[in-house]
Amino acid sequence: MPKPRTALNCTLCGKPTAGDTGALCGTCTTGGVRTLWSLAVWAPQLATTVTRRDRINHPDTSGPAGHRPDEQPLPVNLHAANLHAAVRRLLNNWTARLHTHRPHTLAPRHRPACDTAQTWCAHPSCRTLYLDPATAAPTLAEQALELAGASRWWRHEPDAADLLHTTRRLLDHIRDAVDIPPAMVTLGRCDYTYDDHGDRCNAELRAPKGHPFTTCPLCGAVYDVERRRTQLLDRIEGHILPAPVVVGIITAWMGIDIPLSTLRTWKDRDQLESYGIDRETRANRYRIGDVRRCVLRDLNDAAKQAATERNTGQNDQDHGPEVDKVLAA
């Protein structure tokens, strides 16, 4: 058993622990709880990655269309399996120590009182339910939540810093191992024409968020993402829709997050025309093109103001010695 600790500095950050004998300060303890919560969120996705249920049925897009690799992938992701085993060893060790410290309680089974779907939530009151541990083996998520709820105990353990350091390192590896599809941007249908008869490709165009170009998966035509977004907005700028829908379109296709209050401000200043009230949402209706022009106008004004401030600051620096001479005289 580790010896009781008498130092008053946090073993993780070195700051004082508010005069108690805890191995971790309050800030590091709170961060450790959040790290364990994050581990509980990522653990089920790691289990999915271990069995390759995330991508074993996905086609291989690294080669020509219709290409299939000669070697079939293993039904188990060995790297993810090793990570899963490392997380299990860590959590088993610490939960066993916790049960030794609290032998009068049963192993917690974190099932929320507010949800009948047998899932967990982040409510502290829902993490206090205790069920018979013999009904089923605890999952990684349940073990992580159990430790998160026992922070008053493990923050006094001399090796608490090792727990948080190892958990954070494993969490970083889990995030790298879990195969999460990138955020995609929808760019309409491909309008490439095959021949003089006007037959169009009409395949759905999508691009990973942040990529400047995308390729049609069917005909191979290359599109500039920003230009394509502009073309799509030009096609629908005459549509009149409720404010939440217009804001969603502008945010998705222009990459600019606009609160609804901004539209109301433009309307009150007679900069944006409203076309009545939508019956279902009870929100003002706006033309997409009008909102788009207001956004571009504000962006141009902000760019001009920033350029003016930079030029003013540069002029002040250039005339600095001359001003000093005048003041000295």
Side-chain angles (χ1 to χ4, degrees):
M1 291 294 293
K3 296 181 180 180
R5 180 176 169 275
T6 58
L8 299 180
N9 290 334
C10 177
T11 58
L12 192 61
C13 68
K15 296 181 180 180
T17 57
D20 60 17
T21 58
L24 300 177
C25 63
T27 302
C28 291
T29 302
T30 303
V33 172
R34 292 176 178 175
T35 300
L36 289 169
W37 285 355
S38 298
L39 181 61
V41 173
W42 284 87
Q45 301 183 49
L46 178 62
T48 301
T49 306
V50 168
T51 56
R52 288 190 179 272
R53 286 174 291 171
D54 55 344
R55 61 181 307 163
I56 191 170
N57 293 325
H58 291 191
D60 182 12
T61 58
S62 59
H67 170 74
R68 291 295 183 273
D70 296 334
E71 297 182 1
Q72 294 296 325
L74 294 174
V76 175
N77 186 322
L78 298 181
H79 176 60
N82 292 333
L83 279 176
H84 192 278
V87 174
R88 175 66 76 181
R89 286 194 300 268
L90 176 68
L91 296 180
N92 281 347
N93 179 28
W94 278 89
T95 53
R97 289 171 57 177
L98 174 62
H99 298 163
T100 303
H101 175 72
R102 299 190 308 188
H104 59 283
T105 61
L106 295 175
R109 296 285 291 164
H110 300 279
R111 298 300 189 190
C114 63
D115 190 355
T116 59
Q118 295 296 303
T119 57
W120 64 272
C121 67
H123 298 155
S125 60
C126 297
R127 293 196 299 272
T128 60
L129 296 182
Y130 288 78
L131 300 178
D132 186 359
T135 57
T139 63
L140 296 182
E142 291 168 341
Q143 287 182 309
L145 288 175
E146 180 179 2
L147 286 177
S151 59
R152 293 184 178 180
W153 164 73
W154 51 255
R155 72 175 294 265
H156 289 275
E157 293 296 298
D159 53 345
D162 294 337
L163 167 65
L164 300 190
H165 177 74
T166 305
T167 303
R168 290 169 183 171
R169 180 171 53 83
L170 289 174
L171 187 59
D172 291 338
H173 289 310
I174 290 173
R175 287 168 175 162
D176 294 336
V178 171
D179 182 41
I180 297 180
M184 303 295 289
V185 177
T186 301
L187 300 173
R189 297 283 179 175
C190 178
D191 50 12
Y192 177 79
T193 304
Y194 286 109
D195 48 36
D196 297 336
H197 297 287
D199 294 334
R200 295 175 53 186
C201 173
N202 207 35
E204 183 180 3
L205 294 175
R206 304 182 70 190
K209 191 174 182 179
H211 284 214
F213 298 97
T214 187
T215 303
C216 176
L218 186 60
C219 69
V222 179
Y223 288 86
D224 184 292
V225 174
E226 291 300 327
R227 183 180 300 176
R228 183 67 178 179
R229 283 179 172 179
T230 302
Q231 293 174 353
L232 293 176
L233 284 172
D234 291 340
R235 295 177 185 177
I236 64 172
E237 68 172 3
H239 290 251
I240 299 174
L241 299 171
V245 179
V246 175
V247 167
I249 292 174
I250 295 297
T251 301
W253 287 4
M254 295 186 66
I256 302 173
D257 189 9
I258 306 174
L260 292 174
S261 59
T262 302
L263 271 65
R264 290 193 293 267
T265 301
W266 289 337
K267 175 179 174 295
D268 296 338
R269 295 177 180 177
D270 295 331
Q271 298 175 349
L272 181 63
E273 183 179 359
S274 174
Y275 294 86
I277 304 295
D278 185 69
R279 294 182 179 180
E280 296 183 0
T281 62
R282 306 305 300 171
N284 288 306
R285 302 170 70 243
Y286 300 101
R287 190 190 303 271
I288 295 178
D290 295 343
V291 176
R292 179 188 177 190
R293 281 186 286 273
C294 290
V295 172
L296 294 177
R297 181 201 62 218
D298 283 8
L299 290 177
N300 291 332
D301 293 344
K304 291 179 181 179
Q305 182 178 358
T308 302
E309 292 177 354
R310 286 195 300 268
N311 294 333
T312 303
Q314 184 65 31
N315 293 334
D316 292 342
Q317 292 178 2
D318 294 341
H319 296 291
E322 299 179 1
V323 174
D324 293 341
K325 291 180 180 179
V326 173
L327 292 177

